[in-house]
Amino acid sequence: MTAQWYVHDILQPHVLPLMQRLPEAIFQQDNARRHTERVLQDCLRTVTTLPWTARSPDLSLIENIGEHLGR
């Protein structure tokens, strides 16, 4: 997955419209290389994002939820 693909196929059609309908929402993603590229940062400039420490899987809420959903 490239940053360009992520922006055009995920963020623009799905995430940004949802975030516009939920103005109080905060968008969270990890610091994977593609998530820190300029094209992606430019796309998210109108969205409130949660700062995220690089390489901190123990802080990822989705990791814990995913484990429970797998059961």
Side-chain angles (χ1 to χ4, degrees):
M1 173 185 346
T2 65
Q4 192 72 24
W5 179 88
Y6 183 54
V7 167
H8 288 287
D9 291 359
I10 304 296
L11 293 179
Q12 288 177 339
H14 303 289
V15 174
L16 293 180
L18 178 62
M19 296 299 288
Q20 289 171 352
R21 289 192 308 269
L22 302 169
E24 303 280 328
I26 300 173
F27 185 67
Q28 175 188 342
Q29 61 185 0
D30 62 16
N31 279 336
R33 183 180 298 172
R34 69 184 149 279
H35 294 164
T36 60
E37 291 186 28
R38 182 140 186 113
V39 65
L40 188 126
Q41 295 301 315
D42 289 346
C43 178
L44 293 175
R45 71 180 178 277
T46 61
V47 173
T48 303
T49 58
L50 179 67
W52 198 247
T53 306
R55 298 186 177 139
S56 59
D58 56 325
L59 298 176
S60 178
L61 298 175
I62 197 69
E63 296 294 327
N64 297 324
I65 293 170
E67 180 181 327
H68 292 289
L69 292 175
R71 291 186 200 161

